[in-house]
Amino acid sequence: MTVDPEVRAVLTGGKPSVPAVLERFQAWLAEHADRLERFRELPTEPDRMVGTLMELQRLLYEAGWIRLGWPEEVGGLGGAVAVRGVVSEELAAAGYPPPFSFATQEVLGPAVARFAPPQLAAQVLPRLLRGEETWCQGFSEPDAGSDLGSLRMRAVDEGDHWRVNGEKVWTSWAQYADRCLLLARTGTPESAHRGITAMFVDMNTPGITVRPLVAMTGEADFCSLFFDDVLVPKDRTLGEVGGGWAVAMFVLSCERGVAAWQRQAWMRWRLERLVAEAPELADARAGEAFELVHALRLLSRRTLRSLSDGRSLGVLPSFDKLLMSTAEKYLFDAALEALPNTLLFGADGPARDWRSDYLYSRAASIYGGAAEIQRNIIAERVLGLPRE
Ligand SMILES: Cc1cc2nc3c(=O)[nH]c(=O)nc-3n(C[C@H](O)[C@H](O)[C@H](O)COP(=O)(O)OP(=O)(O)OC[C@H]3O[C@@H](n4cnc5c(N)ncnc54)[C@H](O)[C@@H]3O)c2cc1C
């Protein structure tokens, strides 16, 4: 595969640094502006939208940009994790959408790189990075969301495979997924978080039914998954048997890393669009939105740097998640106030985007750890307040 000369230039002389990647990637974007133009406005029909975003991903992979910051063993070109934040940020700043698997890549990719058998990671990660397949996160169940440790999906040991039965819900974009990072109970029903095992399941395995759920955005943003005697080979186990909680916690920490950085970059870009498109936006509203988004950026930078250096911040990233949902809701509340006709009734692409982003922002305080849970963590583990 030919790596673009701009990428090759950041690799000469050792591992790429954030400033070097930034400078070269900006130059590459400017140079390829004509080729990238068609990605600025996406088709509205979901299948075509996903297809177009996968094409963008392939283009960035083939040039080498998406391979930076990933280990060579899984198809990467090496360098610190933090350099991965540059590509998403600069894409957003230049007005391009995030490729379809960007978030998955950052949320689930590192867990597969760390916990999957090396041969499996080397096989599937390049395919994800290249936009050849997509993955989904099968954690939540109808009675196990915030209280994930009570999940009931059962995986029974049958020698060289697991037999899996049960139900998952709110699995984002599972209708497009080729694989699923699944949590299932392999211990006794009372084993709580100690009896859970993580596994990497092919979505075309017989016995899996995917039922899309239409959200208030009007799109099937997520799905219910039904597992009926699904056989998962043992070599698809991620980490230790009974060690699924460590995998789940690692995934959650990644949600606060490059994935959160991508989200704040996208919010910054949306705020800039709002200021440009809504002269009625009150200065105080714009100022407060800017403060929230900028504060999020600072927290997110601290977390990203620490994850990139392999240091843990413990429970501190709970502040990031809480601020992220506050900032996102505030931003789109401001959009509704300043662009009411466009947001509520507009029929063109940008109006639909404002409407859909406003509606999706309501979910920001639920997914990836609800706001109340983050407040509990901060109250108990940072401020030392009593549990009750
Ligand atoms: C847009 C979206 C995408 C999602 N994508 C995925 C996905 O891809 N994969 C996946 O596995 N899951 C996904 N989820 C599910 C998400 O992780 C759960 O919705 C979340 O964990 C909350 O769980 P729950 O919905 O069961 O609500 P519950 O846990 O039942 O909570 C209901 C309410 O009670 C509050 N609450 C619960 N426990 C406490 C407590 N101890 N103290 C105070 N308040 C409490 C919560 O904060 C919330 O307000 C997604 C959700 C959304 C909205």
Side-chain angles (χ1 to χ4, degrees), residues 159-236:
D160 60 356
H161 60 258
W162 300 105
R163 183 179 292 272
V164 183
N165 280 287
E167 183 181 347
K168 295 287 170 186
V169 74
W170 316 128
T171 320
S172 292
W173 305 110
Q175 68 272 49
Y176 297 109
D178 301 282
R179 329 250 189 189
C180 179
L181 202 168
L182 191 74
L183 295 180
R185 183 159 302 286
T186 46
T188 61
E190 304 75 40
S191 56
H193 63 279
R194 289 178 306 281
I196 295 171
T197 299
M199 44 196 84
F200 197 60
V201 181
D202 290 346
M203 290 294 284
N204 61 3
T205 314
I208 301 178
T209 306
V210 179
R211 193 174 299 155
L213 298 168
V214 177
M216 66 176 168
T217 54
E219 278 164 26
D221 293 338
F222 32 45
C223 302
S224 278
L225 305 184
F226 301 92
F227 281 60
D228 190 9
D229 279 334
V230 174
L231 300 184
V232 180
K234 279 277 182 63
D235 60 9
R236 291 306 191 87

Side-chain angles (χ1 to χ4, degrees), residues 137 139-140 145-146 170-172 222 360 363 366-367 370 372-373 376:
Q137 178 179 343
F139 287 12
S140 304
S146 303
W170 316 128
T171 320
S172 292
F222 32 45
Y360 201 86
I366 303 172
Y367 60 72
E372 291 81 1
I373 302 301
N376 281 353

